[in-house]
């Protein structure tokens, strides 16, 4: 995935000229646009990786209040023999039945689909991109109006979610107690008037610049979206580079003039501060310092992927031996309006792009398939053994009714 594909039909040129760090942007898309990023099936697989989740990486929130980790977890022993709280499926189901939202933090390296969006954002030079998954349920709001200390790129995966975007914007906040510690009363006063009500559907994208006030509510039965938080390099990062550089400048290693309350000593301190400020200005124009800064900004991204153990030894990858059930691709329904139709003795599946001719058995199988979020070839074959599952899935894929995820 590239930034062009992420923003389409908006061009990157238009985005940077009119929206980037200026105002929110809603980009409608088709259901197939982000189908490979995540699905209910993928989400369950991630949750089944039991030992990677902790009270920090997996959280639950009910109507604005965090659920204590002890109430949806059990005490367990980690792989390094430490006592931990591990999310428990049965306890989580109880909270989900009550409407609690589920938050999976820092998931951008867990699957190729999740990583693809982060790679696109980082590849465009926007900064470090980490991803959180939010699963929410009808009429339950997880978070009150707030802003984030990073740009937000919200990718809608399943269901529909209504976002309320307000006029207010905090002035480039950072992750620091000075901003994190603000009470809700401050946010309610600072958010201003409602600017826009945006309904995100599967395949839609919402961009919110850092500090922009917003909140959201799920109005469909269920919603899944991935919020990519993009952290740009800051001016404060340049100060850190300068701190490293001044270690080699004797003027910065000298003691500051002592202060005894006399005008002469105050004047000496003022002069020394002016001298150091002048030296900093010179360092800011130093080609070597600028080279370090340019490399820092250009490389400001998370490292994920890139491993090829056999290639490291100059060896070829083995021939594929066939996917296991857990690794088998699934086919996700993206044309929810498709339906089987019959005209006399002829059957077809009518979708948004036209009709696909089918046999009677295939039409029955297609109707079964359309009632599911996604399905594997093995599941289709087991449910409808009289149908050639690969052939039917190929027809539906070519017609744009399902996509491989």
């Amino acid at each position: 995935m590239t930034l062009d594909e992420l923003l389409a039909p908006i061009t990157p040129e238009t985005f940077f000229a009119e929206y980037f760090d200026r105002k929110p942007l809603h980009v409608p898309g088709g259901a197939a646009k982000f189908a490979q990023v995540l699905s209910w099936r993928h989400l369950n697989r991630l949750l089944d990786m039991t030992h990677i989740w902790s009270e920090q990486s997996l959280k639950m929130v009910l109507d604005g209040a965090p659920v204590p980790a002890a109430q949806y977890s059990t005490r367990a022993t980690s792989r390094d023999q430490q006592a931990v709280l591990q999310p428990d499926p049965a306890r989580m189901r109880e909270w989900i039945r009550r409407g609690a939202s589920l938050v999976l933090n820092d998931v951008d390296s867990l699957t190729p689909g999740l990583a693809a969006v982060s790679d696109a954002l980082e590849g465009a030079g926007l900064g470090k991109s980490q991803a959180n998954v939010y699963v929410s349920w009808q009429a339950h709001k997880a978070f009150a109006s707030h802003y984030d200390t990073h740009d937000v790129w919200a990718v809608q995966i399943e269901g529909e979610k209504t976002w309320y975007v307000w006029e207010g914007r905090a002035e480039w906040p950072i992750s620091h107690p000075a901003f994190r510690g603000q009470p809700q009363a401050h946010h309610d006063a600072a958010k201003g008037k409602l600017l826009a009500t945006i309904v995100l559907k599967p395949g839609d994208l919402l961009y919110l610049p850092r500090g922009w006030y917003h909140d959201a509510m799920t109005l469909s039965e269920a919603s899944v979206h991935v919020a990519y938080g993009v952290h740009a390099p800051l001016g404060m990062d340049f100060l850190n580079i300068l701190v490293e550089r001044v270690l080699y400048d004797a003027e910065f290693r000298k003691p500051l003039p002592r202060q005894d309350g006399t005008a002469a000593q105050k004047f000496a301190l003022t002069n020394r501060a002016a001298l150091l400020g002048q030296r900093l200005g010179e360092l800011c124009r130093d080609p070597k310092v600028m080279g370090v800064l340019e490399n820092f900004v250009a490389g400001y991204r998370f490292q994920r992927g890139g491993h090829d153990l056999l290639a490291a030894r100059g060896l070829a990858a083995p021939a594929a031996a066939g996917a296991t059930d857990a690794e088998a691709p699934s086919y996700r329904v993206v044309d929810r309006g498709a339906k089987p139709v019959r005209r006399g003795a002829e059957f077809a599946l009518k979708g948004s792009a036209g009709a696909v001719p089918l046999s009677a058995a295939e039409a029955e199988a297609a109707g079964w398939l359309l009632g599911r979020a996604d399905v594997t070839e093995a599941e289709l074959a087991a449910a409808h053994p009289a149908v050639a599952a690969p052939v039917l899935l190929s027809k539906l894929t070519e017609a744009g009714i399902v996509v491989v995820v």
Side-chain angles (χ1 to χ4, degrees):
M1 185 173 290
T2 64
L3 186 66
D4 299 64
E5 294 168 329
L6 194 61
L7 287 169
I10 302 296
T11 65
E13 291 76 17
T14 298
F15 171 72
F16 286 116
E18 300 180 17
Y19 297 96
F20 180 60
D21 204 31
R22 291 179 177 84
K23 60 183 179 180
L25 171 65
H26 173 213
V27 182
K33 185 172 184 178
F34 299 124
Q36 293 180 316
V37 173
L38 193 64
S39 69
W40 287 113
R41 186 184 297 266
H42 290 148
L43 194 49
N44 287 330
R45 288 179 186 170
L46 289 178
L47 290 171
D48 284 343
M49 299 176 185
T50 314
H51 68 282
I52 73 171
W53 302 111
S54 67
E55 56 188 301
Q56 285 77 39
S57 59
L58 192 153
K59 298 179 181 292
M60 302 194 80
V61 183
L62 179 60
D63 298 331
V67 179
Q71 295 187 21
Y72 62 85
S73 306
T74 55
R75 295 196 175 278
T77 302
S78 69
R79 302 301 171 91
D80 55 359
Q81 303 303 306
Q82 300 297 313
V84 295
L85 281 176
Q86 188 168 283
D88 178 76
R91 290 189 173 189
M92 287 175 60
R93 281 195 293 271
E94 288 300 319
W95 282 101
I96 289 171
R97 277 193 280 268
R98 294 167 63 179
S101 296
L102 186 63
V103 184
L104 282 65
N105 291 319
D106 299 317
V107 299
D108 47 279
S109 65
L110 297 186
T111 72
L114 288 166
V117 178
S118 277
D119 288 342
L121 295 169
E122 292 176 343
L126 295 175
K128 294 181 177 180
S129 172
Q130 55 87 218
N132 298 338
V133 174
Y134 294 84
V135 184
S136 52
W137 317 100
Q138 190 172 45
H140 287 279
K141 180 184 287 189
F143 302 100
S145 299
H146 65 284
Y147 61 75
D148 289 292
T149 57
H150 49 257
D151 284 5
V152 174
W153 295 70
V155 170
Q156 189 68 21
I157 303 297
E158 299 279 1
E160 297 183 4
K161 193 157 195 173
T162 300
W163 290 67
Y164 304 98
V165 180
W166 304 86
E167 290 182 338
R169 183 186 185 186
E171 191 173 24
W172 292 283
I174 60 174
S175 184
H176 184 275
F179 298 95
R180 291 292 193 186
Q182 293 170 332
Q184 187 58 43
H186 167 82
H187 297 309
D188 291 339
K191 69 182 182 182
K193 297 179 180 178
L194 185 64
L195 177 66
T197 300
I198 300 170
V199 178
L200 289 193
K201 300 179 180 181
D204 284 7
L205 168 72
L206 177 63
Y207 163 74
L208 295 172
R210 174 162 54 124
W212 211 286
Y213 275 100
H214 63 278
D215 55 85
M217 173 79 80
T218 297
L219 298 183
S220 60
E221 290 186 2
S223 165
V224 178
H225 82 272
V226 185
Y228 288 86
V230 181
H231 304 256
L234 309 177
M236 297 173 69
D237 294 312
F238 185 33
L239 287 179
N240 293 331
I241 292 175
L242 290 174
V243 168
E244 292 293 323
R245 178 61 183 84
V246 299
L247 289 173
Y248 304 96
D249 190 315
E251 287 299 328
F252 287 89
R253 300 199 304 270
K254 292 179 180 179
L256 294 171
R258 66 183 181 83
Q259 294 298 289
D260 58 6
T262 64
Q265 290 299 91
K266 291 181 180 179
F267 183 72
L269 183 61
T270 299
N271 279 350
R272 176 63 66 81
L275 172 63
L276 296 178
Q278 179 181 344
R279 291 291 298 123
L280 283 175
E282 293 169 358
L283 288 174
C284 289
R285 295 185 291 274
D286 186 302
K288 291 183 178 179
V289 174
M290 287 307 301
V292 172
L293 179 61
E294 289 167 4
N295 289 334
F296 173 79
V297 173
Y300 200 76
R301 60 186 299 163
F302 289 121
Q303 180 61 42
R304 65 177 71 80
H307 291 286
D308 190 335
L309 301 183
L310 289 175
R313 295 286 298 177
L315 302 173
T324 65
D325 288 343
E327 297 168 337
S330 59
Y331 294 78
R332 180 176 173 183
V333 178
V334 293
D335 187 348
R336 286 294 175 186
K339 60 180 181 179
V341 294
R342 178 179 180 178
R343 291 189 179 88
E346 296 181 350
F347 294 84
L349 186 63
K350 187 176 181 181
S352 57
V356 182
L358 301 175
S359 68
E362 287 178 330
E364 182 181 353
W368 173 87
L369 184 152
L370 292 171
R372 285 149 180 78
D374 57 32
V375 65
T376 65
E377 181 181 312
E379 290 169 343
L380 177 59
H384 295 271
V387 171
V391 174
L392 177 57
L393 290 170
S394 177
K395 290 180 180 179
L396 301 187
T397 301
E398 291 177 6
I401 293 170
V402 301
V403 295
V404 181
V405 296

